[in-house]
């Protein structure tokens, strides 16, 4: 117990019975036992461009009750902020693989520091408050975006680009006309799912197929058990068309080889994604990444954000 007599601090009292003078003494209790708190998961960018959600569990104890009362007003909030700043500075300098493989080593360096680094040591700050952090345990909740320099994150290959050019109605004009070369191969794709096939290209395409329909047709041949085991989620896409109407599609990657179709899924989707048709086009052609679309507000997510970011793996699987 820290006792203030007429505003002047006295020697710490207790444990046990403490005599206080009414109207003269005021006091504050200090718990000297080891306590713990958690740093809420926050989004961080690693050295190689990966975006991950990282939290931490922190254990600390007070070794000088007078300093803990006199130097800082809210001890828990100050310690939590210090731990979060130290964690952020440490992870920004490391690639994703090192963060995943050496969490214990990084946690120790946050406490005791290292002669080879200039990272913030938590206890360098907290000792001045009469507090010492005994343990920090990092927790990587989810990887929201893979490293940018990863081979898996490369742009679409020629096969997907041809599919995109066809299903997006020539919106991504890579050449001049280009109607003749892709004609036979493209008409073989799922045109019959939308309307009766039109084998003669001279008459021009019939009513333009929506981009969302093209995405579904492009995804269908690439669904596999491997993709289902990697993603393991069900998505519902609410696509806003230029006409102002909304079309609903689903991508079910929970069982078998996966299913894709028009309308709502059979069960409750893990994530509901809302976006405009133009943004869907940019997403398919890798002009827009899921995390960038979410951060800019062009992609709205209802459900688990980490599951929604697995759409990046779905796009990579189109190879």
């Amino acid at each position: 117990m820290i006792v203030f007599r007429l505003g002047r601090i006295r020697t710490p009292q207790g444990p046990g019975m403490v005599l206080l003078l009414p109207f003269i003494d005021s006091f504050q209790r200090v718990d000297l036992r080891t306590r713990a708190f958690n740093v809420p998961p926050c989004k961080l960018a690693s050295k190689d461009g990966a975006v991950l959600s990282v939290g931490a569990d922190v254990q600390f104890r007070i070794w000088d009750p007078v300093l803990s009362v006199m130097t800082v007003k809210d001890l828990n909030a100050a310690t939590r902020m210090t731990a979060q700043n130290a964690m952020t500075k440490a992870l920004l300098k490391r690639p994703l693989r090192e963060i995943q493989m050496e969490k214990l080593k990084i946690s120790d360096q946050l406490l005791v520091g290292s002669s080879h680094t200039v990272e913030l040591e938590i206890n360098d700050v907290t000792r001045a408050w009469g507090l010492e952090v005994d343990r920090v345990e990092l927790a990587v909740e989810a990887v929201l975006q893979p490293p940018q320099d990863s081979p898996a994150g490369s742009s679409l290959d020629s096969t997907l680009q041809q599919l995109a050019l066809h299903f997006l109605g020539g919106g991504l004009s890579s050449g001049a006309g280009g109607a003749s070369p892709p004609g036979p191969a493209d008409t073989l794709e799922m045109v019959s799912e939308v309307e009766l096939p039109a084998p003669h290209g001279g008459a021009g395409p019939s009513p333009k197929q929506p981009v969302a329909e093209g995405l579904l047709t492009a995804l269908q041949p690439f669904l596999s058990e491997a993709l289902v085991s990697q993603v393991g989620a069900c998505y519902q896409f609410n696509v806003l068309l230029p006409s102002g109407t909304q079309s609903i599609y689903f991508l079910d990657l929970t069982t078998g080889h996966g299913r894709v179709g028009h309308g709502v899924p059979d069960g409750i989707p893990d994530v509901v994604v809302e976006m405009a048709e133009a943004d869907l086009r940019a997403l398919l052609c890798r002009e827009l990444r899921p995390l960038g679309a979410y951060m800019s507000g062009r992609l709205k997510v209802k459900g688990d954000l980490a599951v929604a970011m697995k759409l990046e793996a779905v796009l990579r699987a189109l190879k």
Side-chain angles (χ1 to χ4, degrees):
M1 182 180 292
I2 303 300
V3 178
F4 296 87
R5 177 158 294 172
L6 296 177
R8 185 181 295 274
I9 194 168
R10 304 186 64 203
T11 305
Q13 306 291 317
M17 184 176 296
V18 178
L19 181 62
L20 299 176
L21 301 180
F23 310 109
I24 295 178
D25 292 341
S26 60
F27 67 93
Q28 183 172 337
R29 290 189 177 93
V30 179
D31 192 345
L32 301 182
R33 295 174 296 181
T34 298
R35 287 181 280 174
F37 65 84
N38 70 304
V39 177
C42 57
K43 285 184 276 190
L44 301 175
S46 61
K47 184 178 180 180
D48 52 2
V51 178
L52 57 159
S53 176
V54 184
D57 296 323
V58 180
Q59 294 181 2
F60 69 97
R61 60 184 177 84
I62 295 175
W63 62 272
D64 190 327
V66 175
L67 287 177
S68 70
V69 171
M70 297 294 294
T71 57
V72 61
K73 182 177 181 180
D74 191 336
L75 196 61
N76 289 337
T79 308
R80 181 179 284 106
M81 183 178 63
T82 301
Q84 185 170 3
N85 291 340
M87 180 182 68
T88 302
K89 291 183 179 180
L91 299 185
L92 286 175
K93 302 175 183 178
R94 291 175 167 84
L96 175 62
R97 180 174 295 274
E98 182 180 348
I99 295 173
Q100 292 176 327
M101 300 297 293
E102 300 185 2
K103 289 191 294 183
L104 295 179
K105 180 180 177 182
I106 298 173
S107 300
D108 292 339
Q109 289 181 355
L110 290 175
L111 294 179
V112 301
S114 172
S115 58
H116 304 289
T117 63
V118 292
E119 296 165 357
L120 177 65
E121 181 185 346
I122 298 177
N123 281 328
D124 280 346
V125 178
T126 59
R127 285 194 188 103
W129 303 337
L131 179 147
E132 184 172 2
V133 176
D134 295 328
R135 185 168 176 264
V136 175
E137 182 176 351
L138 296 178
V140 179
E141 301 290 338
V143 178
L144 304 180
Q145 178 176 305
Q148 293 182 357
D149 56 354
S150 170
S154 58
S155 59
L156 297 176
D157 62 356
S158 58
T159 303
L160 180 58
Q161 289 178 356
Q162 292 176 3
L163 287 171
L165 287 173
H166 169 66
F167 290 119
L168 301 181
L172 303 173
S173 55
S174 57
S180 180
D186 287 348
T187 52
L188 184 62
E189 304 293 342
M190 311 292 188
V191 180
S192 59
E193 292 187 1
V194 183
E195 282 192 359
L196 293 176
H200 303 291
S206 50
K208 195 173 183 180
Q209 179 177 325
V211 174
E213 295 287 349
L215 173 61
L216 294 177
T217 312
L219 282 175
Q220 187 67 51
F222 298 96
L223 299 184
S224 63
E225 293 182 356
L227 184 60
V228 170
S229 63
Q230 182 181 3
V231 178
C234 180
Y235 299 88
Q236 176 178 319
F237 295 89
N238 296 342
V239 182
L240 182 62
L241 303 179
S243 60
T245 60
Q246 188 181 74
S247 293
I248 301 178
Y249 307 91
F250 71 89
L251 173 62
D252 189 355
L253 297 175
T254 56
T255 57
H257 291 270
R259 295 187 309 115
V260 65
H262 186 276
V264 297
D266 295 336
I268 300 177
D270 297 296
V271 173
V272 177
V273 177
E274 296 182 359
M275 61 192 315
E277 190 181 53
D279 294 331
L280 186 62
R281 173 187 303 184
L283 198 67
L284 174 65
C285 299
R286 305 290 284 184
E287 298 172 0
L288 183 66
R289 305 190 70 160
L291 181 63
Y294 172 75
M295 299 295 288
S296 61
R298 299 165 66 179
L299 183 147
K300 297 179 181 179
V301 175
K302 295 180 181 179
D304 192 342
L305 179 60
V307 176
M309 292 303 107
K310 289 185 179 180
L311 287 173
E312 185 78 29
V314 175
L315 295 178
R316 290 200 304 267
L318 292 177
K319 295 182 181 181

